[in-house]
Amino acid sequence: MLWIDCPWCGARPESEFRYGGEAHIARPDPATTDDAGWGDYLFMRSNPKGVHAERWMHREGCRRWFNALRDTVSNDVLTIYPMGTPRPDAPGDEAEGG
Amino acid sequence: MKKFSIFSLARNALSHHEHWPEQWRSPAPKPAYDVVIIGAGGHGLATAYYLAALHGITNVAVLEKGWLGGGNTGRNTTVIRSNYLWDESAALYEHSLKLWEGLAQELNYNLMFSQRGVLNLIHNVHDLQEATRRVNANRLNAVDAELLSTEEVKAFCPILNTSPKTRYPIMGGTLQRRGGNARHDAVAWGYARAADARGVDIIQNCEVTGIDVEAGRVTGVQTTQGTIAAKKVGIVVAGHSSVLAAMAGFRLPIESHPLQALVSEPLKPVLHCVIMSNGVHVYVSQSDKGELVIGAGLDPPNSYSQRGGLHTIEDQMGAIVELIPIFSRVRMMRSWAGIVDVCPDASPIIGKTPVEGLFINGGWGTGGFKATPGSGWVLAHTIATGEPHPLNAPFALDRFTSGALIDEHAAAAVAH
């Protein structure tokens, strides 16, 4: 089980959180986006073997969302940062996957 | 290939089984092949076998980063069924089930294929409506399916707790009698032996580290055993599709998750069928060794770590004790996780990629084992002819641009 450091409640077990998938996926304007661009937004994911930027919500605590960088091989949560801020650098931040 | 028979068994028994030949060679890679398959799991080996057996393409290498069948082929819970809702899925999985039915004879290999029946339980009115619709859809697609009442469920599998006083009472079930189990390792070994006998090179401990693309066309692969040129390449890597796709410069609609399973201590025969439940989310069968083989849902965060959280196992053990209270004191022996590639519509991707000559078979999510023969069969056709077979044409990668998804998430007789 992951141990996640909620910025408001402190370190809590993974079972208290809801996972929100990949972070920083910006919604394009549907009026000016073609099918390929829309499909890319809806379905394509980077799914890296390495550092992944992702969203979490402390469902059984403060119920607030935040972002995290996590290593998908070691499962170490590397950095916690607020939603809406750019992805920070993480130690060894070189994703192997796409 | 030395044929297995009662006579060869008896003959080798006389020499204490010390003179059986190797079942497949371990050759060094050649500099070039007509087709390179990345991944020597069941699907990859089946692809190589059907390329050789049906399409006459024998200059084929299957590259495996670890050992043959050591990935998800050796980690799944071996359930085989074809009771999918949508026409495209029913056609693909039923084709696969029909291949299973003759596969042990075709490969001359005991796959321990057992059509013991797959029972999907119904726990609420919505389940009942969904199950009724699915059974009707299955029958229209010539897939065997029966809708059972609670009493019929109890008669078929007496150890289930069908009391109306449970928290999620069993209101009935659907039964596919032709569904069941097979020995997972044997499938990989059987295909490997038969492919090897037709000239396919199976190269283990050979990890692909790069895919060579020139002017939009694949020319070969970089591996830990050197560069291997290839006219066509197939990616059949279960939990690493995105990583391989990134090597060729494109993205996939896939996220990789750990899927856990566990086995109990061996018991006398107690469960003769496969039990699956969406409502409380667990599935269980009993192996020929006597172990209960139990699985359930994904761990939510995507990961390549091949391990999951104990809370996920706790949920499925709670469910199993609810369904079958006599299992409450059975001790669990081992648990493990495999990495499964999940598509947004819970259906696989089998076909062409944006790179010419590069094909992919992946995204099977939580249920690829059952499709092993059919998946290899259609991918071999696609690689040999350059175009998908009608069975796998709907499972093309471009459905995520066209929007023609095959949404089995809520329809596939399991919860995803």
Side-chain angles (χ1 to χ4, degrees), chain A residues 1-2 14-15 19 22 35-36 39-40 43-49 52 54 56 70 72-75 96-98, chain B residues 65 240 242-243 246 251-256 300-305 307-311 344 397 400-401 405:
Chain A
M1 190 185 299
L2 301 178
E14 177 193 344
S15 51
Y19 180 61
E22 186 173 344
D35 285 352
D40 198 64
F43 300 124
M44 298 296 164
R45 295 294 179 262
S46 59
N47 194 28
K49 187 173 184 178
H52 186 235
E54 59 195 24
W56 288 91
R70 181 176 55 91
T72 60
V73 180
S74 68
N75 277 338
E96 248 182 66
Chain B
K65 73 172 175 180
H240 273 73
S242 299
V243 177
R251 299 212 298 167
L252 291 173
I254 280 177
E255 289 196 303
S256 304
N302 42 324
S303 174
Y304 289 86
S305 66
R307 63 204 151 119
L310 189 64
H311 57 296
L397 180 56
F400 297 98
T401 303
L405 304 186

Side-chain angles (χ1 to χ4, degrees), chain B residues 11-12 214:
Chain B
R11 207 162 38 241
N12 280 278
E214 280 174 27

Side-chain angles (χ1 to χ4, degrees), chain B residues 210-222 233 244-250 353-356 358:
Chain B
I211 296 176
D212 296 333
V213 179
E214 280 174 27
R217 189 178 172 84
V218 73
T219 57
V221 292
Q222 304 288 328
V233 175
L244 272 290
M247 289 179 193
F250 61 95
T353 70
V355 178
E356 209 181 324
L358 181 65

Side-chain angles (χ1 to χ4, degrees), chain A residues 27-35 37-38 41:
Chain A
R27 184 175 190 267
D29 180 359
T32 58
T33 306
D34 62 6
D35 285 352
W38 193 248
Y41 157 68

